[in-house]
Amino acid sequence: MKKIFVFCLCMMLTITITPLVACGEVINELEKNDFKFDVRPMFLFARFNPFWQIPLKHLDIVSFSIFEDSEEPDFLQASITLRGFEYSNLRTCYVIYFTFDCIRYYIGINTHTDGEYISSIAGYFDENNNCHDTTVDCEINEEENIMTWNVPKDVIGNPESGDQLEDVHASSFLILQRDCNAKFPIHLAKDIAGPIFRVGYSYEVQY
């Protein structure tokens, strides 16, 4: 009887202590899932047609993340996973946005001409909403439908340990014009990955 009591007591302590230990772990990754089959065609008669989810699967964001590597403390990593990556003849953009120190930043990639043109960038928007780009590294894993960026922190405002990146969300766009500087870009379809009822997620910089 005494052994059974001791065993039950140990089990109760284990069940009680384990969640407390788990809460004390430092997790240096913000990873969020998005709904599948929610790409929105922007042209009139196609908005509510579910069949458009088939040819637009390369825009469908499954998840996105921001994280850091202790071996590369001067870099911020970011990734987007898609339902089915493929290159398009039209311009396709994949972007992760966030705000730091009241400035809107972005990490993204533009592709068109079936992958002949690929431009991976990071930068910020000025007060006139103009983009200021810097070329950064991005690895595209076509088999796993994942793209991963490695961004120097000095490109995105030099955030330090404890700083918060606010309003973190991701988007993908299919755009008619191939020119990134087109004055009036025509969006054919898009997907937005972020919270439904609030502005965006936040990430605390670790290193």
Side-chain angles (χ1 to χ4, degrees):
M1 184 69 181
K2 185 177 180 181
K3 290 182 178 179
I4 296 175
F5 175 76
V6 172
F7 174 77
C8 291
L9 181 62
C10 291
M11 288 295 294
M12 289 178 65
L13 288 172
T14 302
I15 293 171
T16 305
I17 292 173
T18 301
L20 295 176
V21 173
C23 288
E25 293 179 356
V26 176
I27 301 174
N28 62 330
E29 180 174 12
L30 169 70
E31 183 175 12
K32 296 297 179 181
N33 296 324
D34 186 45
F35 295 108
K36 294 182 180 180
F37 307 102
D38 64 339
V39 178
R40 288 185 287 174
M42 304 306 293
F43 38 98
L44 193 58
F45 306 110
R47 279 180 182 255
F48 304 105
N49 189 338
F51 292 105
W52 280 107
Q53 300 303 321
I54 299 173
L56 296 177
K57 66 179 181 179
H58 64 292
L59 294 179
D60 199 353
I61 299 173
V62 174
S63 66
F64 67 94
S65 66
I66 288 180
F67 56 99
E68 294 170 84
D69 185 340
S70 59
E71 296 183 357
E72 294 185 291
D74 296 328
F75 289 80
L76 182 74
Q77 280 78 33
S79 71
I80 289 179
T81 302
L82 301 165
R83 183 159 55 89
F85 177 83
E86 62 183 29
Y87 292 107
S88 171
N89 190 46
L90 298 173
R91 178 183 164 206
T92 311
C93 303
Y94 304 97
V95 193
I96 293 178
Y97 300 96
F98 61 88
T99 300
F100 171 59
D101 199 19
C102 298
I103 297 175
R104 290 180 61 220
Y105 292 92
Y106 54 87
I107 300 169
I109 191 168
N110 287 281
T111 76
H112 63 66
T113 320
D114 297 320
E116 290 185 18
Y117 175 88
I118 301 174
S119 175
S120 175
I121 55 175
Y124 66 95
F125 297 99
D126 62 22
E127 60 274 7
N128 297 315
N129 210 36
N130 294 316
C131 300
H132 297 266
D133 299 335
T134 299
T135 301
V136 298
D137 293 332
C138 181
E139 178 184 351
I140 299 176
N141 187 328
E142 296 183 43
E143 292 184 359
E144 297 186 9
N145 305 308
I146 300 174
M147 53 191 69
T148 305
W149 292 267
N150 196 34
V151 182
K153 289 182 179 177
D154 59 6
V155 173
I156 50 173
N158 272 317
E160 299 178 349
S161 177
D163 287 338
Q164 294 284 336
L165 308 183
E166 303 288 350
D167 190 18
V168 183
H169 61 285
S171 295
S172 61
F173 305 94
L174 187 65
I175 303 173
L176 181 63
Q177 300 99 322
R178 294 177 179 176
D179 183 5
C180 294
N181 297 314
K183 191 170 184 180
F184 300 106
I186 299 174
H187 292 77
L188 302 177
K190 68 178 180 180
D191 187 19
I192 299 176
I196 298 175
F197 298 111
R198 55 193 178 92
V199 177
Y201 302 106
S202 63
Y203 173 80
E204 182 176 341
V205 177
Q206 303 295 306
Y207 305 110

